[in-house]
Amino acid sequence: MGDWIVIPIVLPAVMAALIVLAVRHDILLQRVFSITATMALVAVTLSLLIFANGNGPEMYALSDWPAPFGIVLVLDRLSAMMIFLTSLLGLGVVLFASSEWDQRGKHFHALFQFQLMGVNGAFLTGDLFNLFVFFEVLLIASYGLMLHGAGADRLKAGMQYVVVNLTGSALFLVGVGMIYSVTGTLNMADLAIQVANIAPGDAALLRAGALVLLLVFCVKAAMVPIHFWLPGTYANAPAPVAALFAIMTKVGAYSVLRVYSLAFGDTAGDMAWLAQPYILPAALITIAVGMIGVLAAKRLNNLIAFAVIGSMGTLLTAIGLFTPESISAGLYYLLHSTFSAAALFLIADLVVSRRGQFGDSLNTAPVFHQSGFLAVLFFIGAIGMAGMPPLSGFIGKLQILDASRDSDAMVWIWSVILVTSLMCIIGFGRAGSVLFWKSSSLEGEIVVEGAKWPVLPIIAACGMLGGLVALTVFAGPISSYLNGTADQIFDTSQYIRAVLGDGALAQFGQ
């Protein structure tokens, strides 16, 4: 695909600058530019996905500097899938926000485009330091989006979010510095070669750097015990921003999968699968903490935020097994959890905006405008998040359970996932009964001035739910693609050959 690989980064970057410089005073033009650019991004990333499905990994060298000295972008099945998922999510979010959310603060669409640029860059980069740079781009944009619309609670949660992520950024630099001091490279393909040939005297420092980096990725992925920033941040963020943040935690999970399968996988000698002993137990605890939070939540947005933590624990459990079967299952669940979390945040906003003074509190209140229709949407989203049949959450969890049958931790994995799934059903069932069923028994109706059928938000919410339906209906071909993706992840020679050429494989031992 050549130069097309850089388009998912350049397109939103150029559009963000254009919105700020040319149309910042006209909200209608901002919407037109932003929606059009995001639709074009969907088309580009779909083309890249189709290309990646039929070809091996391909590299794009920025400024034509050869690897490992220059910055490279790498398109393979995994990165293509992630940028396509990001563009689909982004399209739903920008449609929802363009109804009226984008007017509650300044520069929403510019920040939104910068966010897409950072996320896509993180998925495509083949360099650890460049990964740090794109982390910072997406985090800076997310700071502005988080505070969009102001409010004391949002400002407080935003400050915590900023502090935690700035700390993570500092640790990222520490970990990268330690790795570079030992290996002399930050190119991921070259790093895989250097780790395989590391001198025994440098092994301790390299291990320490890799574990610091793992800690940073787990902060981004909201893994216990460094998950505490997520509930307040997601629950208080504007609804379209919270929906967009559904992909943010996946950046952390992606980074764990990419780095610790490529550089610290089978070929890493004594450091093979370095992350596995730490990820799996922490992931199981993360599931439990998330679902306990679902049961204890007193507000709808907090309930969804804790469900996101639980879903990340399920995803990281699959990744922590580090087998082709578990990675394939985990990637399917990644797709599902992104759509289900985004859908629920968007539906929650439609509910809250109609409950007047009751807001998102899980207290019985009179019925509200469109409560029957929104109850159906919430019911579908809750089924998806809890992993009940027939939607994709059930398929994803079933695949993860099946992939763990040969693991020594099978009993723990099955027990935690099954028990917490029941807890999630109870939590969402309680919330649904309070918001919709019990409300119907009270007299009167909540009337919110200006309540209407908001076309774009409903299209966006239904689109996210449609993603769950599509994952269910096309589970066969999607799983086939993901099986090929998992095989490509474990065949690291393909990635190294694409970045460094055939000559590097002799040094790599393949």
Side-chain angles (χ1 to χ4, degrees):
M1 291 296 285
D3 296 344
W4 283 91
I5 297 175
V6 78
I7 298 298
I9 300 172
V10 172
L11 176 60
V14 171
M15 187 54 59
L18 184 61
I19 289 172
V20 170
L21 296 175
V23 297
R24 65 181 181 275
H25 299 303
D26 190 326
I27 189 62
L28 181 59
L29 284 178
Q30 289 184 47
R31 291 170 179 171
V32 171
F33 279 45
S34 190
I35 292 174
T36 302
T38 309
M39 292 176 68
L41 185 64
V42 171
V44 170
T45 54
L46 176 59
S47 299
L48 292 172
L49 181 71
I50 294 172
F51 175 83
N53 185 42
N55 299 273
E58 183 166 329
M59 179 198 71
Y60 176 83
L62 295 174
S63 299
D64 207 27
W65 279 74
F69 307 106
I71 295 173
V72 299
L73 304 177
V74 183
L75 179 76
D76 63 355
R77 297 171 70 97
L78 177 59
S79 59
M81 182 194 78
M82 296 305 296
I83 60 175
F84 181 58
L85 174 64
T86 302
S87 65
L88 287 178
L89 179 64
L91 181 59
V93 168
V94 74
L95 288 175
F96 189 98
S98 294
S99 176
E100 57 89 20
W101 260 109
D102 54 358
Q103 299 183 70
R104 301 188 186 187
K106 293 184 177 181
H107 308 304
F108 174 88
H109 290 285
L111 290 169
F112 169 78
Q113 293 295 327
F114 275 127
Q115 179 89 355
L116 293 182
M117 170 196 170
V119 173
N120 286 337
F123 290 142
L124 285 170
T125 184
D127 182 271
L128 274 181
F129 186 78
N130 208 33
L131 178 62
F132 166 79
V133 171
F134 282 119
F135 265 31
E136 294 309 297
V137 171
L138 67 90
L139 287 173
I140 291 171
S142 69
Y143 299 154
L145 291 172
M146 170 66 197
L147 300 176
H148 186 79
D153 291 340
R154 190 168 298 160
L155 184 61
K156 180 180 178 181
M159 183 60 67
Q160 176 179 276
Y161 175 69
V162 169
V163 171
V164 170
N165 280 282
L166 285 177
T167 303
S169 297
L171 289 174
F172 200 138
L173 285 177
V174 171
V176 164
M178 295 170 73
I179 292 173
Y180 184 77
S181 69
V182 174
T183 63
T185 186
L186 293 176
N187 180 283
M188 294 184 194
D190 194 35
L191 186 63
I193 295 175
Q194 300 305 324
V195 169
N197 299 302
I198 194 71
D202 294 328
L205 186 58
L206 178 60
R207 180 182 295 271
L211 291 178
V212 169
L213 214 56
L214 178 63
L215 177 64
V216 174
F217 296 154
C218 289
V219 170
K220 312 298 183 186
M223 180 186 283
V224 168
I226 39 185
H227 68 289
F228 56 86
W229 60 270
L230 189 147
T233 300
Y234 282 40
N236 290 290
V241 175
L244 182 61
F245 281 8
I247 199 68
M248 295 274 283
T249 47
K250 307 307 186 297
V251 176
Y254 167 88
S255 300
V256 171
L257 177 57
R258 175 67 78 192
V259 174
Y260 295 92
S261 61
L262 178 60
F264 298 94
D266 271 333
T267 60
D270 293 338
M271 294 190 197
W273 309 117
L274 174 68
Q276 187 173 26
Y278 304 96
I279 291 180
L280 190 55
L284 293 174
I285 297 173
T286 301
I287 303 175
V289 169
M291 294 313 168
I292 291 171
V294 168
L295 287 178
K298 297 181 179 180
R299 308 190 73 87
L300 178 58
N301 283 322
N302 286 94
L303 179 142
I304 300 171
F306 275 106
V308 170
I309 293 176
S311 69
M312 284 306 300
T314 304
L315 169 59
L316 290 166
T317 296
I319 291 176
L321 291 171
F322 283 111
T323 66
E325 295 78 17
S326 70
I327 296 303
S328 177
L331 292 177
Y332 184 90
Y333 189 80
L334 182 152
L335 297 172
H336 156 80
S337 61
T338 302
F339 285 124
S340 62
L344 283 169
F345 278 120
L346 298 183
I347 294 166
D349 184 72
L350 293 172
V351 171
V352 170
S353 64
R354 285 153 180 74
R355 294 190 83 215
Q357 62 180 344
F358 293 95
D360 71 335
S361 63
L362 294 178
N363 296 319
T364 305
V367 295
F368 50 89
H369 184 56
Q370 303 165 354
S371 60
F373 174 71
L374 293 177
V376 173
L377 296 186
F378 181 82
F379 180 68
I380 296 172
I383 288 176
M385 181 61 78
M388 295 175 62
L391 292 182
S392 52
F394 175 74
I395 299 173
K397 287 188 176 181
L398 198 63
Q399 288 182 349
I400 293 172
L401 293 176
D402 183 61
S404 67
R405 285 186 303 168
D406 296 329
S407 170
D408 294 338
M410 185 200 75
V411 173
W412 284 104
I413 294 171
W414 280 57
S415 299
V416 171
I417 289 180
L418 293 176
V419 170
T420 54
S421 294
L422 177 60
M423 294 167 65
C424 189
I425 293 171
I426 294 172
F428 274 92
R430 174 179 67 92
S433 66
V434 170
L435 292 171
F436 303 105
W437 179 54
K438 291 183 179 180
S439 297
S440 64
S441 63
L442 299 181
E443 295 183 0
E445 180 180 352
I446 299 175
V447 178
V448 177
E449 185 178 353
K452 56 183 180 179
W453 287 92
V455 177
L456 289 179
I458 289 177
I459 290 175
C462 291
M464 295 298 103
L465 294 177
L468 300 181
V469 175
L471 285 172
T472 306
V473 173
F474 300 105
I478 291 173
S479 295
S480 178
Y481 177 89
L482 297 177
N483 290 337
T485 302
D487 291 340
Q488 191 179 79
I489 289 171
F490 280 82
D491 184 7
T492 54
S493 62
Q494 292 187 47
Y495 190 99
I496 294 172
R497 180 184 292 109
V499 177
L500 301 176
D502 293 330
L505 295 179
Q507 187 178 357
F508 190 55
Q510 295 192 28

